[in-house]
Amino acid sequence: MIFLIPSFLWGLLALAIPIIIHLVEMRRPQRVVFTNVAFLRQVKQVTARSRRLKRLLVLAARCLALAALVLAFAQPFLPAKNAGTPPPTDVRLYLDNSLSMQNVSRTAAVALLDEAKSQTRQLSTAFGNSTRFRLLDNGFSGGTTGVPAPALLDGVARLGYSPRRAAAPEALRRLLATDDAGPGTRVFLLSDFQRNAFVPKDLLAAAPPDADVYLLPLTAQSTRNVFVDTVALTDEFVRSGESNRLLVRVANSGAEKATGVAVKVLVGDQQVSGFSLDLAPGEAKSTEIDFRVPPATGVLRGRVEVADVPVTFDNTYYFTLRVAPPIRVFGLAASTSVETPAQKAFAGEPGFAYTPADERSLNYQTAAAADLLLVQELPSISAGLSENIGRFARGGGSVLVVPAVGADRASYTSFFQSLGLSTVRLLPETPGGTATPLPVAAPDERDPFFRGVFTAPVANLAVPKVAPTLTWSRSGRDVLRLRAGGPLLSAFRVGRGTVWVLAAPLDARAGDFAANALFVPTLYRLAQQSYRAPQQLAYPLGSRRLSLPVRTQDARKDVFRLVRQSSGTDTTAFIPEQQVRDGRLTLSLPAELAQAGFYTLRKTGEPPQTLAFNYDKRESALAQYSPAELRTAVAANPRIRVVEAGAGLGAVEQLRADTLGEPLWKYALVAALVFLLIEVLLIRYLP
């Protein structure tokens, strides 16, 4: 048996106090002899012997109680197997404060983060006064220098939830990166060890060879967690006062069935939909919501709310709807002196901004800013033009290619090959330059491309006839086809963009498609689907970078700020790392940006932009490794140990017993109370 504080053993000298008191009480009384008191003398002798025995027993009980109390303060313990090693002076702790730690603990009716804080406080008392601690959380905001236990507890008390996800191997590397870990270094990882954030083999690779690593898993209750997984628009072209469709996907990542979960969808200050869902464990359901965009300009703020407990951080999903400005269409034709059918169609619609050009007056910078680039019946396509069209498409733009009657076969073939569209080829030439017009098949009104276009059944639609000059064997998507079976209008993915190919020219010699009632709505829908929203509906917190288009070309004169208005006039501003290049702003989000909601991007001379940020949805997946699974996964490294509550002890108490030894002060304290009880019983009941 070893004493943790042996100086308290000097308290055993206090045992002399009850002994001295006993000796004083044992002084001989003065003898007075009376006559005819033989019977009384016999009774007195018997009573004196009983009183002497009682006093000795009371004295023993008092001495034992006092000795047990002194031993309790000296903190005796049975040494562990590694008791010969010196006590650690360098203890490093990683405390997982991710949002999933909001779940309720299985062993206590508190959040997992609160349980982790409690275990950290207990852990700080398990080592000597010379021990120095280092604390690291998910925001990597902990100090890098060792601090004593009181400073550690102050840092733990101030710790809140962080939206950043830091895996245990990454935290281990950061804890050991400040200097070399020696044999006396001990590292403790307190986490819920989520399955989608923790990889045991990565921990084995990151673990140092000469430091002991302890995993303290915090087990949560088996509970449901319903959250909004995805919010998306079926049509990114949002127009004020017109209908649109919102796709809302709600998931249940818990182990219990969720019944009657209420979901509300709000756009601006108006609730546009409300419904309820039943979700089995691990199930996700998608719901399409038709709504009318309120009459407004700029950005509309929206949110989806679910009613779910106890994990509430992901109950609200924020998003923005940007009312689209006029779609920019750049029309490239053989000559600007002749108005093309597309130019006539766009000229009468204020929702489009059409810019005509020919190859001689082509401004590549203006064309690169367009949403849709029309390549209209060019006799030939030069190598330089082909290269710029390919760059525009691969960068995310949309291109519509309309062939010309009698087009140069070699240049068109080279053009399609440069785009990677080797299946697109020109049909053999026919006498007279054009083939016999063929009827177009009626469009499929169930196709999302034509959603909302037709107010009457398409069976009554007068379809056009065209003479195709191009054909292809396969494409990413066919929108219009010929009645005979060939393609007419199809989409091909090229890089991050889309290339639309029309099989027939719009020239009247090749058919009447440009004069048909189907031409204008098809062209409008193609332009609308080519619209590139300048920003996403929402961004995840914890993401490293995001990119946005801006007007300024120089960020050195002034900086962009992310401003969040909490309540009333209370605002919080962040100045992230930023860089402006080619009209796009790249932001590196700071770790302090930790609260979901709406933020305004501001800069002098720039229009403000409203951005929506949400917590990382991976945090909503609460599945975690069990202690047994962790123990099996790290069994290859004997210096990595998994410590869990067991045998009536908490995790920290179990750790003390395994590393420092079995503490005996509790037993000494119980013994002191027992001896005090015996003393009371002796005084009260012993005659």
Side-chain angles (χ1 to χ4, degrees), residues 444-518:
D444 186 0
E445 57 185 333
R446 296 171 300 178
D447 191 328
F449 183 89
F450 292 105
R451 181 181 289 124
V453 172
F454 304 106
T455 57
V458 297
N460 301 327
L461 182 67
V463 296
K465 293 183 179 181
V466 297
T469 59
L470 295 174
T471 188
W472 48 88
S473 57
R474 61 183 182 275
S475 67
R477 180 184 180 190
D478 292 334
V479 173
L480 291 175
R481 297 185 63 85
L482 301 174
R483 190 173 294 174
L488 176 61
L489 178 62
S490 298
F492 299 85
R493 294 294 299 177
V494 176
R496 293 188 292 111
T498 304
V499 174
W500 298 82
V501 180
L502 187 66
L506 297 177
D507 194 306
R509 293 174 294 174
D512 60 349
F513 182 43
N516 188 268
L518 185 61

Side-chain angles (χ1 to χ4, degrees), residues 173-233:
R173 285 190 292 268
R174 285 182 174 264
L175 283 172
L176 301 175
T178 53
D179 55 14
D180 295 331
T185 301
R186 292 187 181 179
V187 181
F188 297 88
L189 306 177
L190 294 88
S191 172
D192 57 355
F193 295 102
Q194 282 180 275
R195 290 184 176 273
N196 61 358
F198 174 71
V199 182
K201 64 179 182 180
D202 293 344
L203 180 63
L204 291 173
D210 54 354
D212 293 321
V213 179
Y214 297 89
L215 308 183
L216 277 69
L218 305 169
T219 306
Q221 292 181 2
S222 177
T223 180
R224 75 181 195 185
N225 182 36
V226 179
F227 65 98
V228 181
D229 180 74
T230 306
V231 173
L233 283 171

Side-chain angles (χ1 to χ4, degrees), residues 15 56 64 74 76 107 163 169 181-182 208 227 337 349 358 460 520 569 573 620 631:
L15 294 177
L56 290 175
L64 291 174
T107 58
F227 65 98
S337 59
E349 175 56 48
D358 55 25
N460 301 327
V520 172
T569 59
S620 301
R631 192 173 289 107

Side-chain angles (χ1 to χ4, degrees), residues 567-595:
S567 59
T569 59
D570 185 21
T571 59
T572 305
F574 302 91
I575 301 179
E577 296 182 10
Q578 51 197 272
Q579 182 180 17
V580 177
R581 179 178 296 177
D582 298 330
R584 294 195 70 85
L585 170 67
T586 301
L587 297 177
S588 298
L589 299 181
E592 293 78 14
L593 196 143
Q595 189 170 359

